[in-house]
Amino acid sequence: MGFAHSDGTSIYYERHGSGPAVLFVHGSGGHHAAWWQQVAPLRERYTVVTVDLRGFGNSDSTMPEFDSQDFPEDIVAVLDQEDLRDVLLVGQSIGAVAALRAGLRRPDRVGGVVLAHSLGGIDHPELSALVAADRAEAVKLPVLDRLLSRDFQKREPARTLLFQQMGTFNTAKMADLRNLSTGGPTVNEVTASGLPVCFLAGANDAVLSAATVTRAHELLPGSRLELVPGAPHSMYWEAPELFNAAVVRVRDDLTHRSAAV
């Protein structure tokens, strides 16, 4: 564990294990500890890094407002601090937006990006309309039902409670985040970068539909789609074995590609 510094801001992160690197970026209700079900099984195989974006967990939260445009540099600061290369960035929900932008900024350190339950803020008129339509449906549900299946909530009341408690350690809340959807990369920019991108989605995601993610995959040449049957928006929490298996497939494929170059 340690701190990196992004524009003078202290960014907390933890590093576990050894081997090819995977760095996890949390969503709006998470922080580094949200990845406990990923760190424990994956650290025997990879270098697993978890980071707190500014305003979250143990990172600096003293700023008067939280501009999401700063989040990619928080990730880059950790990559530089640990001198990591060929890293797979795995971003959950809004964390995927920061992960994609960090990957585009630092191709010398980032080998690929997994956009988990997110389109990574890609700027495309058709995709923006589809995302807006999905959100219009999602807001009809209670917040918890958007994130976890009702069956899981009934079967796993303790893990459901822990999931809810995670966000209480954050100063920044979703309503506090500025510029979350501003200035995203275009499809052409992502394609031209050559950055390997994987869309990881749950077929039962109530926030971002499988149809929308599939369309994003179709529009982004060379992208990969991991669509998991029955999985909700917070697959990493509710069905970690399925989420982790997808991450392993992508990480190992990236390793093989790098070895072949």
Side-chain angles (χ1 to χ4, degrees), residues 29-31 55-58 61 162 165-173:
H31 45 73
F56 295 84
N58 293 329
S61 301
L162 182 58
Q165 294 300 309
M166 280 287 166
T168 66
F169 293 92
N170 299 328
T171 299
K173 308 300 180 185

Side-chain angles (χ1 to χ4, degrees), residues 15-24 42-49 84-89 109 247-248 250-256 258-259:
R15 177 173 179 165
H16 307 264
S18 61
V22 181
L23 186 151
F24 290 97
L42 296 181
R43 64 187 173 187
E44 299 300 320
R45 186 168 188 156
Y46 308 121
T47 295
V48 179
V49 181
L84 296 170
R85 299 185 185 276
D86 193 36
V87 180
L88 178 65
L89 300 182
R109 295 201 179 277
V247 171
V248 167
V250 178
R251 174 64 265 187
D252 288 355
D253 181 64
L254 186 61
T255 301
H256 294 152
S258 299

Side-chain angles (χ1 to χ4, degrees), residues 26-29 35 91-96 115-119 131 134-135 138 141-150 152 163 174 200-210 213 228 230-239 243:
H26 59 79
S28 61
W35 301 107
Q92 164 69 18
S93 194
I94 69 162
L115 306 178
H117 308 277
S118 171
L119 303 188
V131 169
D134 287 346
R135 288 178 180 168
L141 300 172
V143 173
L144 193 58
D145 289 351
R146 301 174 205 171
L147 307 177
L148 299 171
S149 71
R150 289 186 177 181
F152 178 83
F163 179 84
M174 186 67 176
L200 174 54
N204 290 358
D205 190 333
V207 177
L208 186 67
S209 71
V213 178
V228 180
H233 185 73
S234 298
M235 186 194 338
Y236 75 100
W237 188 277
E238 180 170 332
F243 185 92

Side-chain angles (χ1 to χ4, degrees), residues 181-204:
S181 302
T182 303
T186 66
V187 166
N188 289 340
E189 287 172 338
V190 177
T191 302
S193 73
L195 179 70
V197 172
C198 173
F199 294 98
L200 174 54
N204 290 358

Side-chain angles (χ1 to χ4, degrees), residues 98-121:
L100 179 58
R101 295 182 186 190
L104 293 172
R105 292 181 190 183
R106 294 301 298 273
D108 59 317
R109 295 201 179 277
V110 179
V113 177
V114 173
L115 306 178
H117 308 277
S118 171
L119 303 188

